[in-house]
Amino acid sequence: MNTLPLTLLAQEAAAADPGFWGGPGMQAFGLWVAVGFTLAIYTFLYRDNPVFKFAEHVFVGVSNGYLLCYTWFTVVKPMLVVPLWHAIRPPADKPLEANETLWLLVPAFLSLCMLMRFVPKAAWMSRWAFAFMVGTTSGVLIPLTVQAQIYKQLFPMLGGFVSRGGDTDAVLWVASLKSLLILIGVFAVLTYFLFSVEHKGPVRVFARTGIVFLMIAFGASFGYTVMARESLLIGRVKFLITQAGSEGKYRTFAMMAVVVALVAALEMLRVRATPPPAAEPAPPEAK
Amino acid sequence: MSPELKKMIPRWTVFGIIALAVTIPLVVGGSTRFPATPIVRGVYEEIEKLPEGSPILISSDFDPGSEAELEPMMNAILAHCWRRKLRVVVMSLCSANSMPLAEELVKKAAAEHKAEYGRDYALMKFLPGGTAPILTLGQSWSAILPKDYYETPVADLPAMKGITKLTDFPYMVCVASVATPDYWILAGNAKYGLKMGMGCTAVMATDYYPYISTKQVSGLIGGLAGAAQYEALVERPGLASSKMPTQSVVHVTLVLLILAGNILHFLTKKKGSAA
Amino acid sequence: MTTLKRTVPLGIALVAGLVLILQGFVPHPVSGKVLTWTQSWVVIIAGVSILLGVGSLVQAHATKIHRQSRGWFYSAVTLGTFGLTALGFFHPKGIEPGGPLDWSYQYVMNEMSATMFSILGFFIASAAFRAFRARSVEATLLLVAAVIIMLGQVPVGAYLPGVPQVATWVLEVPTTAAKRAIILGVALGSIATALRIIFGIERAYLGGSE
Amino acid sequence: MRALALLLLLQAPLWAQLPEGFEVYDTPGDEGSSALAVWKALPKETADASYVVWRAPAKDGPWEEVARFPQTAGWKSDAPQHFGTGSGNKGWHWASIPALAEPGKPPVAMWVKLGVEGAGGAAESAPAEVTPVPNWWAWNKLNVFLFVVAFTCVTFWLISRARRDPNLFIRRIPGLDAMEEAIGRATEMGKPILYLNGLNAMDSISTIASTCILGQVAKRVAAYDTTISVPCFDPVVMGVSQEVMREGFIAAGRPDSYRSDAAFFVTSDQFGYVAAVDGIMIREKPAACFYLGYYYAESLLLAETGATTGAIQIAGTDSVTQLPFFIATCDYTLIGEELYAASAYLSREPIQLGSLIAQDWGKLFLLAMILLGTVVGSAAVVFRAPALLFLKDLFATYS
């Protein structure tokens, strides 16, 4: 995140009543917190240390608190609780559509079954909810997978590899060769995946070709991903840079000093407290 | 130094080199242009074809973790849509965090393009459940999205005029950092014939090449490089174009690191076999 | 008891599965309704089940604190921040902007997520440095393809003769072929697994096979 | 100017010709939301002239325009979902007419007429009546249905065959053989095993497959008396994992050594989960890490951290994007469908192996089709014989 959305938020907040949490005080404090936690997480690159451990545990606590509330406000309350409540006490302006709402008793019951896991003796009831979720997914998935994955992927391979084009409608050799290679690749990789055939003789040749295709594909995907991963890093570094200047109240430098000092101090304590590593039996080396 | 720490030295070296390769070009600055490939054009041209005032659906399926990569793309697409005077409807299938983020990004872009909420764009709520919500939207929009992000009934939004189900959108773009394009292809395109294009993180891009050749997806904007190309198409160099110099430096550094790793590997191997 | 514990869930999976397979072939609005409903039920059940997770979390950390086992301080941190954030539930703004929940999302979760994610920028480099060694033919192919695509991705690559062309070719031909084959295999595998579940052959998710 | 145009229009002999074969019928295989109009192309068509389609609730109006396009567009061949890919589509136009009735409400009859407008004048056809009704069967998905039925039958047949003759050949899958080894090694070292189910919820086939494998792993873990920890991303998956492991311990005859907190919930936030699991890896230093299920960007964050701890790492995922990272950082990786095969492979139960072989039959069928398609399809292009493209029609998906 850079500074622009925050200034925009500030303008909006000024229009409405920002309240305590949307006010400039909490915003500035938020940025201090953000810079601090960003640097704390980065200390993991050095090694596991109490500062990272602290940030990690905050992360787990906050995310669970947020997700709990979020699920209540976006799923449970509007989809289950409110409609059921209206079924019991219909609001004056809305007549009850009983037969539709009462169906909600099914998920309500299955949800209760799920919560029965808290009662060890009745934990098996959760299986009903598991079965419902797993069964419906499997059912929806089957026709869709045949249609969208098998047939749609098979379709372009059924027209052969030769293509014609241009003014004379002549055979396009380069394009045709490309299609032929794709066909060979698909054929070889599928052969590699056969489970009930031993990789011997001609099957072996195809399976080996399949591995070649797979390896090139995996290498390519890896290379392709580098940009994505680096852009995230660029985004973060940009954030730290904007918070390092006078506009960002030199937060990055201040927090960096705090985090580095903390890590260093705690590391020194640890080194003093632990006996030399030679005392531990060396674990067998992993290959 | 303990042997445990000694083992970390090559890692720390790599980390240090990468940190420098990212930070230095960012501090120095600059920008590059990137000509567009046909795959990126596939999205641009479909949007270009839509008549003025058509609705367009954007599924903003990424959360803050991928913001850096997908924000420039989202901005370029939004700029294009509003320049073509389309009604933009934004929704999300990704996660609890994706809709607040989408709101932030879209509002920022809207302010820049003087787009008005309700008339030129509308924000919907996050829908969990993978293909399930798409399947429902294909039957009836109001079944699960009767109200927008701010609890306004959808019927009151001019931007949503004439939309009763998914296929009332002549085109949609899914901008994703997670597997939601699969859901859109599976449920939106395969089941309801919804025309779609997509943008995604670079990591996902290669997965979706097959869907382009089967024409299930009209085009694909892959990662920052794709976003830089889209920015060039809409003639609006922005975030993506400005990040390209850093990317170049990091990529070259990484290639050099791999080369160095191999040279070291062969040198130690030779030593090992000689001993 | 076995009926309730075993037969009923298997029956639920069978009926739910078969009904939804058929649903895929029935365009009638009634069938549409079946789909909409069952799918929203799944969403609701998944939503309620977050309580299970939170329960497990609280229990685990509370036990640690109670026993004062190693690192119990950190458990207290988790429980404390969890409790503080969850208090935001009572703020009138809920998860809307301007409330404490939105604040903790914006300045804590969001920032830490992005940072953790960006660590990949370092890890992808160390993984490449360590793993991309030309040990065998396969490893060399992996390495060469990765290097070519890396260079082809950035404007710099455009100045190296042949690199952009080879990069496009690699993405269009071998990558498309391999991925198409994997998609086909995965599709068959998932259909087979789905069938095993619907017909009760695979029942591990209900706890074992007996 | 307008008057002149009107004059011209009035003077122009109304030779605007109406197309032949105009027909309106209910869209087959839909939920009753539309009807289809089809008509034969005119001998001379230009881009300046248009076809217009109107609908009305009664024979005498009021008419409402529902489609308008140039004569050079709107071909049947553009809509294989309604008309297939057959050669009969040549030279025919079509339009879709939305139904008058609201979705889910009883069907209502409507009248439809076709018009031609152009420089040559305008003409309208006689109205035709049609009632769009909801259909109970999507015939255009027959090919999909047949595949599902055939695959189910083959699966059952192979299962019954496997019951009779349990000595089925399944090739070695090195990653799965290594799992057993890894559990043994963990026992020797007295260190725990870390098992991750992926980040998808229980309604994902990869997660289901992963929990099934967990059952097999739990059996061995119980037999060897090793410790296992399963940090979960999804609460439901946590519940299922607990059930699966409990049964695994019971099957191994050691129900007393099962601890219900072996599978525990961390958080449903992607990177919060990663931070916590990375922490667990660094601190507990597991002897083996298993990553089975569906993964997103966290794959490399997990596996790279695991690699620094020196654990044996075995991954399996159908997430094509993340496979390269597991391949680069793990000792063994199950690619795509090998993940689904794993539970059957480890259990060695004939029923399960039978369905595994059904997957192979599916692949053989696809291989045969690709081969046939290559030969016949290429011949179709080389000899310019489009009739040979019949295979494409068989596998076209009309949605």
Side-chain angles (χ1 to χ4, degrees):
Chain A
M1 197 194 305
N2 37 44
T3 44
L4 195 57
L6 290 170
T7 50
L8 199 90
L9 269 176
Q11 287 158 9
E12 246 175 51
D17 172 28
F20 172 71
W21 291 96
M26 280 316 274
Q27 261 186 45
F29 176 61
L31 283 171
W32 281 103
V33 172
V35 173
F37 279 131
T38 300
L39 293 169
I41 298 259
Y42 276 142
T43 62
F44 184 63
L45 290 172
Y46 160 62
R47 58 180 298 173
D48 184 37
N49 66 80
V51 175
F52 170 75
K53 210 171 164 188
F54 177 79
E56 169 210 319
H57 281 81
V58 171
F59 199 171
V60 171
V62 172
S63 60
N64 270 303
Y66 183 82
L67 289 172
L68 183 68
C69 300
Y70 189 89
T71 317
W72 166 260
F73 285 117
T74 55
V75 179
V76 181
K77 186 182 160 196
M79 290 175 82
L80 183 71
V81 177
V82 171
L84 277 181
W85 180 248
H86 284 174
I88 302 166
R89 288 216 175 149
D93 55 330
K94 251 195 238 162
L96 173 64
E97 286 175 57
N99 52 347
E100 299 242 327
T101 312
L102 286 180
W103 278 103
L104 279 177
L105 290 175
V106 179
F109 172 72
L110 289 174
S111 301
L112 276 182
C113 289
M114 193 64 103
L115 293 183
M116 280 299 152
R117 290 203 65 77
F118 284 125
V119 186
K121 281 230 162 115
W124 54 267
M125 279 183 81
S126 60
R127 293 175 179 182
W128 296 7
F130 296 161
F132 177 76
M133 291 178 93
V134 169
T136 46
T137 316
S138 305
V140 172
L141 202 103
I142 290 177
L144 283 182
T145 309
V146 175
Q147 192 178 340
Q149 295 191 339
I150 299 188
Y151 282 10
K152 281 256 161 120
Q153 294 295 333
L154 188 59
F155 190 73
M157 293 188 283
L158 296 175
F161 62 91
V162 186
S163 51
R164 282 176 189 277
D167 301 332
T168 50
D169 205 25
V171 172
L172 302 169
W173 288 106
V174 179
S176 303
L177 204 64
K178 230 172 169 178
S179 312
L180 180 64
L181 269 175
I182 294 181
L183 282 169
I184 293 175
V186 175
F187 202 91
V189 177
L190 273 180
T191 312
Y192 166 78
F193 280 127
L194 286 174
F195 295 118
S196 53
V197 184
E198 213 164 340
H199 286 178
K200 277 197 303 200
V203 178
R204 192 183 140 80
V205 176
F206 271 112
R208 293 290 296 178
T209 317
I211 294 178
V212 168
F213 273 87
L214 281 174
M215 286 302 144
I216 296 178
F218 289 147
S221 306
F222 194 109
Y224 204 94
T225 318
V226 170
M227 172 168 284
R229 298 313 183 223
E230 299 309 339
S231 21
L232 299 162
L233 185 54
I234 292 172
R236 274 296 75 188
V237 173
K238 256 191 158 170
F239 167 71
L240 287 179
I241 290 177
T242 50
Q243 294 299 321
S246 57
E247 217 179 300
K249 302 214 166 65
Y250 306 101
R251 285 188 185 94
T252 305
F253 291 124
M255 290 314 277
M256 206 181 262
V258 173
V259 167
V260 170
L262 263 176
V263 172
L266 291 164
E267 278 292 89
M268 277 202 289
L269 276 179
R270 188 184 61 88
V271 172
R272 268 192 212 159
T274 46
E280 276 178 41
E285 274 304 303
K287 199 203 119 201
Chain B
M1 191 182 267
S2 71
E4 199 193 340
L5 286 189
K6 241 178 218 160
K7 253 194 337 206
M8 301 288 276
I9 288 176
R11 273 174 79 77
W12 288 338
T13 317
V14 172
F15 292 166
I17 292 173
I18 292 295
L20 288 180
V22 170
T23 317
I24 294 173
L26 269 185
V27 175
V28 174
S31 156
T32 10
R33 269 189 78 128
F34 211 171
T37 57
I39 288 178
V40 174
R41 274 178 190 280
V43 179
Y44 175 82
E45 272 156 17
E46 284 295 327
I47 296 183
E48 201 61 14
K49 261 192 239 162
L50 298 176
E52 202 170 287
S54 313
I56 180 167
L57 181 66
I58 295 180
S59 189
S60 175
D61 299 328
F62 56 101
D63 45 24
S66 316
E67 187 185 350
E69 196 179 358
L70 295 178
E71 184 192 357
M73 188 184 296
M74 191 78 181
N75 280 342
I77 297 172
L78 286 172
H80 189 200
C81 290
W82 281 322
R83 200 177 67 193
R84 302 266 320 131
K85 300 229 179 332
L86 305 178
R87 295 180 277 146
V88 181
V89 178
V90 181
M91 60 176 286
S92 175
L93 297 175
C94 161
S95 77
N97 309 339
S98 54
M99 218 39 230
L101 175 68
E103 186 202 17
E104 188 185 309
L105 295 184
V106 175
K107 275 197 162 167
K108 195 171 89 182
E112 194 183 317
H113 297 276
K114 307 215 163 39
E116 191 185 305
Y117 188 81
R119 187 193 64 189
D120 303 311
Y121 71 103
L123 297 167
M124 296 294 139
K125 282 178 192 156
F126 155 64
L127 294 173
T131 48
I134 304 177
L135 294 170
T136 316
L137 288 176
Q139 307 277 349
S140 153
W141 188 273
S142 55
I144 47 172
L145 282 175
K147 290 177 180 166
D148 74 349
Y149 191 64
Y150 306 104
E151 299 288 329
T152 318
V154 161
D156 296 350
L157 294 170
M160 289 293 294
K161 202 175 151 243
I163 290 158
T164 57
K165 58 180 190 303
L166 203 54
T167 41
D168 292 330
F169 286 99
Y171 192 64
M172 78 146 310
V173 185
C174 172
V175 182
S177 68
V178 293
T180 51
D182 286 342
Y183 303 149
W184 283 109
I185 292 166
L186 210 68
N189 176 277
K191 178 119 183 158
Y192 298 118
L194 179 68
K195 256 187 146 176
M196 63 179 285
M198 58 177 283
C200 63
T201 57
V203 57
M204 292 161 63
T206 46
D207 283 359
Y208 292 95
Y209 272 62
Y211 294 110
I212 294 173
S213 55
T214 58
K215 298 213 166 57
Q216 277 166 288
V217 175
S218 79
L220 185 154
I221 314 172
L224 218 50
Q229 293 170 30
Y230 209 91
E231 281 177 357
L233 279 175
V234 295
E235 285 162 356
R236 200 177 155 279
L239 280 172
S241 308
S242 74
K243 281 179 185 167
M244 289 322 276
T246 324
Q247 288 288 358
S248 296
V249 174
V250 179
H251 276 66
V252 173
T253 312
L254 197 43
V255 170
L256 293 177
L257 269 176
I258 294 174
L259 279 181
N262 274 289
I263 293 170
L264 278 176
H265 173 68
F266 280 106
L267 285 181
T268 45
K269 210 170 96 178
K270 255 193 190 155
K271 237 199 234 163
S273 57
Chain C
M1 216 45 183
T2 348
T3 321
L4 287 179
K5 281 186 180 173
R6 186 72 59 194
T7 322
V8 171
L10 284 178
I12 292 176
L14 179 71
V15 172
L18 287 181
V19 165
L20 283 157
I21 292 181
L22 274 184
Q23 192 283 326
F25 301 101
V26 177
H28 197 278
V30 169
S31 127
K33 216 163 212 178
V34 167
L35 182 67
T36 316
W37 282 3
T38 47
Q39 298 303 307
S40 71
W41 295 353
V42 170
V43 173
I44 293 173
I45 300 169
V48 171
S49 69
I50 192 121
L51 284 175
L52 279 188
V54 169
S56 152
L57 180 93
V58 172
Q59 202 182 7
H61 287 286
T63 322
K64 262 194 180 172
I65 298 173
H66 181 70
R67 289 194 193 140
Q68 304 251 315
S69 48
R70 228 183 114 200
W72 66 270
F73 164 72
Y74 295 103
S75 289
V77 169
T78 298
L79 280 193
T81 47
F82 165 72
L84 278 180
T85 317
L87 275 183
F89 180 83
F90 300 102
H91 194 276
K93 288 213 165 157
I95 48 166
E96 306 289 311
L101 281 171
D102 189 64
W103 185 90
S104 52
Y105 158 73
Q106 261 202 346
Y107 295 106
V108 184
M109 268 177 80
N110 186 345
E111 301 294 327
M112 286 213 252
S113 277
T115 311
M116 202 63 217
F117 201 168
S118 76
I119 284 188
L120 271 177
F122 294 105
F123 277 17
I124 204 168
S126 67
F129 178 72
R130 202 164 34 82
F132 286 174
R133 301 277 156 90
R135 285 191 204 95
S136 60
V137 180
E138 285 95 15
T140 313
L141 285 172
L142 195 77
L143 186 158
V144 172
V147 167
I148 288 174
I149 299 295
M150 264 182 232
L151 291 177
Q153 276 284 296
V154 283
V156 178
Y159 298 104
L160 300 173
V163 165
Q165 287 82 354
V166 177
T168 318
W169 183 85
V170 165
L171 288 178
E172 275 182 4
V173 180
T175 311
T176 303
K179 298 224 154 138
R180 191 175 275 168
I182 295 179
I183 292 177
L184 286 172
V186 163
L188 283 172
S190 58
I191 295 171
T193 312
L195 283 176
R196 288 208 289 263
I197 283 158
I198 292 173
F199 291 105
I201 297 164
E202 179 70 87
R203 46 180 85 168
Y205 69 97
L206 297 177
S209 49
E210 280 318 310
Chain D
M1 194 61 200
R2 224 172 129 189
L4 187 71
L6 200 67
L7 200 71
L8 273 175
L9 200 68
L10 282 176
Q11 274 191 339
L14 279 176
W15 51 261
Q17 203 186 341
L18 270 174
E20 285 172 26
F22 174 62
E23 200 188 331
V24 188
Y25 54 91
D26 171 37
T27 310
D30 79 339
E31 71 274 26
S33 63
S34 67
L36 292 178
V38 294
W39 61 92
K40 223 174 166 160
L42 287 170
K44 255 193 197 160
E45 296 188 317
T46 58
D48 315 331
S50 317
Y51 287 117
V52 192
V53 182
W54 293 274
R55 72 169 185 189
K59 196 172 183 181
D60 43 3
W63 293 98
E64 181 191 354
E65 185 181 307
V66 286
R68 172 185 289 270
F69 49 84
Q71 287 185 336
T72 47
W75 298 101
K76 258 187 172 183
S77 50
D78 300 335
Q81 71 269 34
H82 295 310
F83 310 107
T85 49
S87 47
N89 289 344
K90 269 217 171 107
W92 282 79
H93 290 285
W94 75 286
S96 172
I97 304 118
L100 287 171
E102 298 253 323
K105 298 276 152 57
V108 176
M110 62 180 177
W111 293 81
V112 178
K113 64 179 181 181
L114 168 72
V116 182
E117 284 180 12
E124 280 173 18
S125 73
E129 193 186 5
V130 64
T131 312
V133 288
N135 304 108
W136 284 103
W137 193 250
W139 286 106
N140 54 7
K141 288 186 190 161
L142 186 66
N143 54 358
V144 176
F145 184 72
L146 288 179
F147 187 94
V148 174
V149 171
F151 194 75
T152 314
C153 294
V154 169
T155 307
F156 276 105
W157 177 64
L158 286 168
I159 287 173
S160 73
R161 214 185 63 164
R163 273 199 182 129
R164 270 180 273 125
D165 172 24
N167 294 322
L168 293 168
F169 173 80
I170 299 287
R171 76 167 160 91
R172 273 192 67 226
I173 302 179
L176 292 172
D177 294 341
M179 263 177 151
E180 199 128 2
E181 234 172 81
I183 299 170
R185 185 166 166 264
T187 318
E188 275 169 34
M189 292 170 64
K191 285 185 172 183
I193 288 167
L194 190 74
Y195 190 104
L196 307 185
N197 278 316
L199 263 71
N200 270 4
M202 208 56 228
D203 60 354
S204 147
I205 294 287
S206 354
T207 314
I208 297 172
S210 173
T211 50
C212 296
I213 303 168
L214 177 60
Q216 303 296 334
V217 170
K219 265 186 214 167
R220 288 161 174 77
V221 163
Y224 286 116
D225 207 11
T226 316
T227 44
I228 182 168
S229 75
V230 186
C232 295
F233 179 77
D234 181 284
V236 182
V237 177
M238 175 195 77
V240 175
S241 302
Q242 287 169 345
E243 287 286 295
V244 162
M245 286 205 289
R246 203 168 55 87
E247 293 291 327
F249 275 73
I250 292 172
R254 318 189 63 138
D256 44 314
S257 41
Y258 168 71
R259 291 185 2 260
S260 71
D261 57 356
F264 54 95
F265 177 72
V266 179
T267 171
S268 293
D269 181 84
Q270 186 183 12
F271 292 103
Y273 178 78
V274 174
V277 174
D278 275 359
I280 294 172
M281 277 185 203
I282 295 281
R283 283 156 221 151
E284 294 186 7
K285 299 232 168 3
C289 299
F290 297 145
Y291 313 102
L292 300 160
Y294 203 94
Y295 290 87
Y296 300 91
E298 67 286 348
S299 64
L300 186 64
L301 281 173
L302 297 168
E304 181 66 10
T305 307
T308 60
T309 66
I312 293 191
Q313 303 205 91
I314 299 171
T317 187
D318 53 344
S319 157
V320 188
T321 28
Q322 304 306 329
L323 276 168
F325 305 112
F326 282 136
I327 293 209
T329 46
C330 292
D331 300 280
Y332 296 95
T333 307
L334 304 175
I335 301 170
E337 60 176 318
E338 287 177 347
L339 172 70
Y340 305 125
S343 157
Y345 183 89
L346 289 173
S347 76
R348 289 272 150 197
E349 279 170 36
I351 311 183
Q352 298 243 22
L353 291 178
S355 89
L356 194 55
I357 294 176
Q359 260 165 265
D360 268 13
W361 278 58
K363 264 171 274 174
L364 287 174
F365 172 73
L366 293 183
L367 286 174
M369 285 303 125
I370 293 172
L371 208 59
L372 193 65
T374 307
V375 175
V376 178
S378 305
V381 179
V382 172
F383 302 112
R384 298 179 202 275
L388 285 177
L389 288 173
F390 64 93
L391 266 180
K392 282 191 107 150
D393 286 347
L394 288 182
F395 291 99
T397 49
Y398 310 122
S399 55

